[in-house]
Amino acid sequence: MTFADILNQYHVPFQTDGRYARDGWVQFQCPYCRGGNDPDKPYMGYSLTSGACNCWRCGPHKLYTTIQELTKESTQRCRELYSKLDRRGWAASEHT
């Protein structure tokens, strides 16, 4: 399961190309700051190479807690989603 699969499953809009996207990143609305005064811009990014999550407004966040915030699922269900996440291509140091 990819991170984009999780976003699709929970109907979270995201971009992988276009104005606000960078190569190797999945962009979506930050579940923490919600984009502040710009809620339509996808400030949060997920790195396909490192597994890191970073918001260009409020900073880095752990992947597991970001999945919890996005899905609003139980801890057990988030553990299942996280354990099924495809980590191939991630750099040696995971940002979980």
Side-chain angles (χ1 to χ4, degrees):
M1 169 181 285
T2 67
F3 188 72
D5 291 337
I6 294 172
L7 296 179
N8 277 325
Q9 184 176 344
Y10 288 91
H11 309 288
V12 176
F14 67 93
Q15 298 176 0
T16 55
D17 59 13
R19 182 175 180 188
Y20 299 110
R22 290 182 12 188
D23 285 342
W25 287 81
V26 176
Q27 299 294 135
F28 52 97
Q29 185 186 55
C30 179
Y32 302 98
C33 74
R34 302 273 181 220
N37 294 331
D38 264 332
D40 295 329
K41 290 185 181 176
Y43 282 101
M44 178 72 87
Y46 166 79
S47 170
L48 297 172
T49 57
S50 71
C53 286
N54 188 66
C55 176
W56 311 119
R57 288 181 54 88
C58 64
H61 296 278
K62 293 185 179 289
L63 176 56
Y64 179 81
T65 56
T66 299
I67 291 172
Q68 284 182 310
E69 287 294 320
L70 290 169
T71 65
K72 303 297 185 204
E73 287 282 6
S74 68
T75 300
Q76 180 178 347
R77 177 67 180 141
C78 288
R79 282 186 189 135
E80 290 171 14
L81 291 170
Y82 184 79
S83 70
K84 292 178 182 177
L85 195 59
D86 183 359
R87 290 172 173 79
R88 289 176 291 171
W90 281 16
S93 64
E94 289 185 19
H95 297 273
T96 58

